Amino acid sequence: MAQWDRLRQLPPVYIQQLHELYDRDGLPMDVRHYLSAWIEKQEWQRAARDHDFAVVLFQVLLENLDIQHSRFVQEESFLLQHNIRRYKQNFQRYLDEPCSLATAILWFLEKEKEILASADLAEQVQLLRVDQEAMEMNSQQDLERKMAGLRNEVQCMEHTMVCLEEQQDEFDFKFQTHKMEAAVDEALKKEQMTVLQFLANRLNDCRKSTLADINKVLDWSDDLINLLVKKELVEWQRRQQKACIGAPDNVCLDQLEKWFTSVAECLFQVRGFLSKLEELSGKVSYENDPVKARRPALQKRADTLLEELLKSAFVVETQPSMPQGKGPLVLRTNVQFSVKTRLLVKFPELNHSMKVDVSMDREPPQIKGYRRFNVMGTTTKNLNMAESQNGGMVADFRHLTLKEQKSGGGSKGVSDISLSVTEELHLIYFNTVFELKGLAVGMRACSLPVVIISNSSQQQSAWASVLWFNMLSQDPKDVIFFASSPAAPWPQFGEMLSWQFLSATKLGLNADQLEMIAHRLFGKQPNYDTCKVAWSKFSKENLPETFWVWFDGILFMVKTYLADLWKEGLIMGFVTKGKEKSLLKKKKRGTFLLRFSESVIGGITFSWVETAVTGAPDVKTVQPFTKEDLSQIPFHEIIRNFQLLEADNVPENPLLYLYPDIPKDQAFGKYYTDKTGDDSPYIKYIKTKLVFVSKENTLEAKSPMSSDMAQGEGLEPINGLCGEAAEQNGDSHPLNIPLEPYHPDPMLSSSAVEPQEQDLLIDPSTNLLAEILQDETVPNDLNFQGFNGLTPVLNDFNLQGFNGLTPVLNDFNLQGFNGLTPQSCGSIFQ
């Protein structure tokens, strides 16, 4: 398709650019339209260099205009006849300079190609990001349109400056000739003076017009700088803040670099135009010369705009981070960290010529006890294009460390504010100087506030501070943010929690999971949007088991041991006991779900529905599994091999369908090991019979949110050993099992919220130990030692509440429990 036809079919935003392009007399749009086929076929680039060839094209152009005029005469198009006649007359000024006409037409054609390229790029972006919000697209398109307009204006200015210099040369030549010839004839002298006056007036008008055009370019630049610095850059900085705490926001700087560089190049060209005007004015000047009157103010404005742009163009592209940290912005003394700065104005001639220096806390707050640090390592680097994947101007610091100043610290602060180590925020500064074409600008960038710790035990609390600051702070330099930290609105807080799972496992939290967390924080509410979470409730109350410790414990467990199951959506996770029971009681027998413990830090459990003797559904729950368990047995293998010992001594796995109705093996089958049964590498951990006793007081005391237990978990069973494991290879691994006095507790609690509704997995009247000790030859002086291979899993069990076992335990010291035949019995794991 012809270029002109493609342009006419573009969306309105690009049609507007086309109208702006032809809103000048260089090449009227009517001529471009009616002669489009002919114009696009000609070699204008050659004509711009070859005078003779340009003469030929110029003559053919006039002939084509005559043809069009005749056509409009026949069609009785009066207005078009008039326009074509006027255009032909205007083109006569190129009679002596046909190459200039060819240059002008070539310039218009190139501008058209740029509009088409912009449209094509926008279309490709739209195809790749079909879900991008229309408002954002319109904003970027508007910025692109203004950027293209600025470039067009500057290129027109280049042509204007050439014309101005030619006019001045013409005037100067004729004026000097007039002075040398000194005509005697008054009539001739008067005629020459008239010509010189005409040329002088034209030169003056051209200078005024050029100055006005420069002012227009500066207005355009000012508008774009406001958009770039006060909108686009601020939005990028906010996106970077959120990305540091897990948000999936795009923080690529390539587009910003393109825009910043484009505006900077235009402003440097404007400075060049102003310098040229000063040079021309120095050669030819006169009374009321507009250049002398207006150029200094325009020069000052251009330099001010350029300095504003350049100072904002120096940024921290990658925030400080340690290789093994929980996330960026948490630094540990004497441990190396890296950080990368970038200059968004890309001038290849500055490669390796700008040095960047690093420093700490240039204006530390006057707070008592506020620590001071020195930056150690390679603290000076050059901005270069080699350390960036896309060729940007970067200084990549990879081997920096922090060392606390042992003297002269902040102990004499004038403020009464008291901040903990992990609430103390620090800024890292980067300084450089931009020098190009006679302009020198000092530039400074600073990191987001970092938390500096001296021990790895502080890292979890420090990361909580980083999360809170970057979630809520609108001032990225507010180092006393925690002196009066604001509360977090629930929608914002819930989104931040979801980001933690999204960044760690590629799957965030859904609305139901977030509702459970809100329920735990605020109790039952019809709507949580107006609720707020205080900083103290997030990370300071109920030390050491704060809300964040509880949540982060779950996050660590999922990331380390359950990432695949979580990403598959197999773990419901955040669900209350009451909600769990209501969901399962509506399902068929054997339906189970997986949820995180509300009282055990980093614990996961499962509950399933049974059919009671009365025929009513009955929900059962096991003691939560922790990282100690999951580090030995994959969770899917626990689910696969989990068994109960029924009354007739036949082991049975009660877990049949993952909620809502997915067959267990269909849900987890692809994670199973090839071996099953006695061949399974995990069978030595699973051939153990565990019973459960209630420890209500202990669990409530351990809850990270004990004040919100009204709708909590209720009782969770604690496991105890009541079976044996096979010895492997004759080795014995002693387990020290403390015996405690008998308590008449039930041996298993159900997941019902009300304690009185507890059901038993195993009948407490059953003599379980007698079932195990079926071999009458077992000596009476047994102890629970020699459980080969079980230490990793069973190191935390106890034997409380063995209801009804007194006859078996008479004269029984639990020693020498070796050599027992493995039993084929059920298991309920901790």
Side-chain angles (χ1 to χ4, degrees), residues 239-247 319 327-329 448 463 466 470:
R239 290 198 303 272
Q240 188 189 47
Q241 270 191 282
K242 295 192 296 181
C244 283
I245 57 174
Q319 293 294 330
L329 304 174
L448 291 170
W463 181 240
V466 169
N470 290 287

Side-chain angles (χ1 to χ4, degrees), residues 28 34 36 85 93 117 134 136 195 261 286 318 339 366 377 396 400 422 530 555 575 583 630 650 693 738 773 786:
Y34 291 112
S36 61
R85 184 186 304 110
R93 69 179 186 273
E136 182 181 351
V195 172
T261 301
Y286 43 87
T318 304
V339 60
Q366 297 300 308
D396 192 358
L400 298 176
T422 55
T530 58
L555 182 64
V575 56
L583 291 175
L630 300 179
V650 178
V693 294
L773 303 179

Side-chain angles (χ1 to χ4, degrees), residues 231-369:
K231 182 178 181 294
E232 296 295 334
L233 186 61
V234 170
E235 289 179 358
W236 174 82
Q237 290 170 336
R238 182 57 187 154
R239 290 198 303 272
Q240 188 189 47
Q241 270 191 282
K242 295 192 296 181
C244 283
I245 57 174
D249 286 4
N250 178 18
V251 292
C252 179
L253 283 168
D254 292 353
Q255 184 62 64
L256 270 177
E257 180 187 75
K258 177 183 175 182
W259 288 335
F260 268 79
T261 301
S262 183
V263 176
E265 288 175 342
C266 289
L267 285 173
F268 269 110
Q269 286 180 279
V270 169
R271 294 179 80 248
F273 298 153
L274 291 170
S275 296
K276 186 65 176 179
L277 283 175
E278 184 179 26
E279 176 188 334
L280 294 176
S281 179
K283 293 178 179 179
V284 175
S285 186
Y286 43 87
E287 188 177 355
N288 298 323
D289 184 350
V291 172
K292 289 186 175 181
R294 299 174 55 187
R295 193 200 65 81
L298 292 175
Q299 183 76 54
K300 183 177 180 181
R301 187 183 180 198
D303 290 347
T304 300
L305 290 174
L306 193 50
E307 288 179 12
E308 179 184 358
L309 182 72
L310 291 172
K311 287 181 178 180
S312 302
F314 188 43
V315 298
V316 177
E317 180 178 15
T318 304
Q319 293 294 330
S321 62
M322 298 185 298
Q324 304 301 324
K326 286 182 70 69
L329 304 174
V330 176
L331 305 180
R332 183 177 171 184
T333 53
N334 302 316
V335 175
Q336 285 190 350
F337 67 93
S338 61
V339 60
K340 183 190 293 184
T341 60
R342 181 167 174 176
L343 180 62
L344 298 180
V345 174
K346 183 178 176 181
F347 289 101
E349 56 265 41
L350 294 177
N351 191 23
H352 290 284
S353 66
M354 295 175 61
K355 290 186 177 181
V356 181
D357 299 317
V358 187
S359 59
M360 281 289 298
D361 293 323
R362 296 181 63 87
E363 298 177 358
Q366 297 300 308
I367 296 177
K368 185 177 182 180

Side-chain angles (χ1 to χ4, degrees), residues 24 28 212 226 307 413 424 530 538 547 577 618-619 636 716 720:
R24 48 177 62 87
N226 280 327
E307 288 179 12
E424 191 179 279
T530 58
F538 176 62
F547 172 86
K577 292 274 288 186
D618 184 22
V619 177
H636 57 267
E716 286 190 346

Side-chain angles (χ1 to χ4, degrees), residues 118-282:
S118 298
D120 291 341
L121 178 61
E123 184 178 359
Q124 293 172 11
V125 171
Q126 185 67 24
L127 291 174
L128 293 174
R129 301 181 61 188
V130 294
D131 59 338
Q132 190 174 18
E133 295 181 2
M135 184 177 297
E136 182 181 351
M137 284 295 297
N138 290 338
S139 174
Q140 294 225 343
Q141 288 176 353
D142 181 59
L143 197 151
E144 284 283 4
R145 181 181 63 81
K146 291 182 178 180
M147 198 71 68
L150 176 62
R151 289 192 294 264
N152 289 339
E153 289 297 326
V154 171
Q155 289 179 348
C156 289
M157 280 295 305
E158 290 180 342
H159 180 69
T160 300
M161 292 301 299
V162 172
C163 294
L164 176 62
E165 186 172 15
E166 290 176 350
Q167 289 182 13
Q168 179 166 315
D169 289 343
E170 181 184 2
F171 170 78
D172 188 45
F173 174 76
K174 292 185 176 180
F175 180 71
Q176 297 299 333
T177 301
H178 170 73
K179 287 200 304 181
M180 287 188 296
E181 291 180 350
V184 178
D185 186 355
E186 287 297 326
L188 180 59
K189 185 176 181 180
K190 185 176 181 180
E191 181 181 350
Q192 290 178 346
M193 289 302 297
T194 301
V195 172
L196 288 173
Q197 187 63 52
F198 169 78
L199 293 176
N201 291 340
R202 190 180 68 169
L203 177 61
N204 187 63
D205 291 341
C206 192
R207 285 187 175 183
K208 289 181 179 179
S209 175
T210 300
L211 292 167
D213 288 343
I214 290 176
N215 192 61
K216 181 180 178 182
V217 170
L218 293 178
D219 287 341
W220 212 313
S221 300
D222 195 1
D223 185 29
L224 279 170
I225 290 173
N226 280 327
L227 284 175
L228 290 177
V229 174
K230 298 179 181 179
K231 182 178 181 294
E232 296 295 334
L233 186 61
V234 170
E235 289 179 358
W236 174 82
Q237 290 170 336
R238 182 57 187 154
R239 290 198 303 272
Q240 188 189 47
Q241 270 191 282
K242 295 192 296 181
C244 283
I245 57 174
D249 286 4
N250 178 18
V251 292
C252 179
L253 283 168
D254 292 353
Q255 184 62 64
L256 270 177
E257 180 187 75
K258 177 183 175 182
W259 288 335
F260 268 79
T261 301
S262 183
V263 176
E265 288 175 342
C266 289
L267 285 173
F268 269 110
Q269 286 180 279
V270 169
R271 294 179 80 248
F273 298 153
L274 291 170
S275 296
K276 186 65 176 179
L277 283 175
E278 184 179 26
E279 176 188 334
L280 294 176
S281 179

Side-chain angles (χ1 to χ4, degrees), residues 9 16 32 41 70 83 117 196 198 381 488 549 560 564 628 636 645 668 683 726 737 755 780 794:
Q9 296 179 17
Q16 178 62 29
R32 177 67 179 94
K41 292 179 182 179
S70 300
N83 289 341
L196 288 173
F198 169 78
K381 292 201 70 175
V549 170
T560 307
D564 290 337
E628 287 77 13
H636 57 267
L645 184 65
F668 299 94
I683 197 65
I737 305 171
N780 289 334
L794 301 176

Side-chain angles (χ1 to χ4, degrees), residues 360 371-375 402-410:
M360 281 289 298
R371 297 169 298 163
R372 304 289 193 270
F373 296 91
N374 294 324
V375 185
L402 296 176
K403 185 175 182 180
E404 185 174 357
Q405 298 178 6
K406 297 303 181 182
S407 60

